[in-house]
Amino acid sequence: GSKLTTIGDSSFSYCTKLAEINLPETLLTIDEWAFHTCSSLSEIIIPKSVTKIGECSFEKCNFTEIIIPAGVETLENSTFFGCESLKTVIFDSGSKLNKIGDYVFRACKALETIKIPAGVTSIGLNSFNVNLSLKELEFEENSQLKTIGVQAFAGSGLTYVKLPNMV
């Protein structure tokens, strides 16, 4: 079996014809810019073993759905920036996510709804900015949210927001 634990910085960035990749269950880390501008990448399954997804790692990819493994604690800046086809974001149950960085889901024009895991304490600046299709924003029960960054949801199409009681 595979012994691969890390996909390093920019490993596949600008591989614009890369349409499919199978990531092994041994993978722990996806570093910065790993799949940046893999514009033909229409599907990716991040193994449940992954605990780190680096900055800009999937920026400008073309998949429609992403499942964030429970062990990921931080979505670094611009992780999914400009993924214009991204419609569905699912956080695995038991998510340990505590931070959504700056610009993480900015310009994800197809994103319609998002449910933020309870452990998230901060949402960075411009993190959901200019997402015209984003209609619903919800936070899991017992949300630990303390900070929503500057222009985090500016220019979105929000029609329904359910903020946690503790904010």
Side-chain angles (χ1 to χ4, degrees):
S2 177
K3 294 185 181 357
L4 182 69
T5 59
T6 301
I7 294 178
D9 291 1
S10 303
S11 290
F12 298 96
S13 63
Y14 297 97
C15 289
T16 57
K17 296 196 183 329
L18 178 66
E20 184 180 333
I21 189 163
N22 294 313
L23 302 176
E25 290 297 327
T26 55
L27 192 65
L28 301 173
T29 302
I30 299 171
D31 277 335
E32 289 73 21
W33 289 65
F35 296 97
H36 187 284
T37 313
C38 289
S39 51
S40 296
L41 194 58
S42 59
E43 180 182 10
I44 192 156
I45 296 170
I46 300 174
K48 293 185 183 303
S49 54
V50 170
T51 56
K52 180 182 184 258
I53 301 174
E55 208 169 286
C56 305
S57 52
F58 292 103
E59 185 172 331
K60 297 182 182 167
C61 287
N62 207 24
F63 38 77
T64 58
E65 178 180 282
I66 195 75
I67 299 171
I68 311 295
V72 174
E73 294 184 9
T74 301
L75 286 178
E76 301 291 343
N77 296 345
S78 302
T79 310
F80 299 104
F81 180 109
C83 291
E84 294 186 358
S85 300
L86 183 60
K87 185 176 181 175
T88 307
V89 176
I90 298 167
F91 297 96
D92 260 348
S93 67
S95 177
K96 294 179 182 166
L97 191 69
N98 59 47
K99 179 183 177 189
I100 296 174
D102 301 340
Y103 302 97
V104 172
F105 294 104
R106 186 178 198 273
C108 292
K109 295 178 179 180
L111 187 62
E112 295 177 349
T113 65
I114 189 98
K115 188 170 189 175
I116 308 293
V120 172
T121 59
S122 70
I123 295 174
L125 65 92
N126 292 296
S127 51
F128 292 89
N129 185 293
V130 298
N131 290 345
L132 296 175
S133 296
L134 184 61
K135 304 286 188 241
E136 292 188 16
L137 168 65
E138 200 173 328
F139 294 84
E140 282 184 356
E141 288 222 7
N142 302 315
S143 175
Q144 303 301 303
L145 188 68
K146 293 181 176 68
T147 308
I148 296 175
V150 174
Q151 295 189 345
F153 297 95
S156 70
L158 284 172
T159 58
Y160 174 80
V161 176
K162 183 181 178 190
L163 289 173
N165 293 334
M166 299 173 159
V167 174

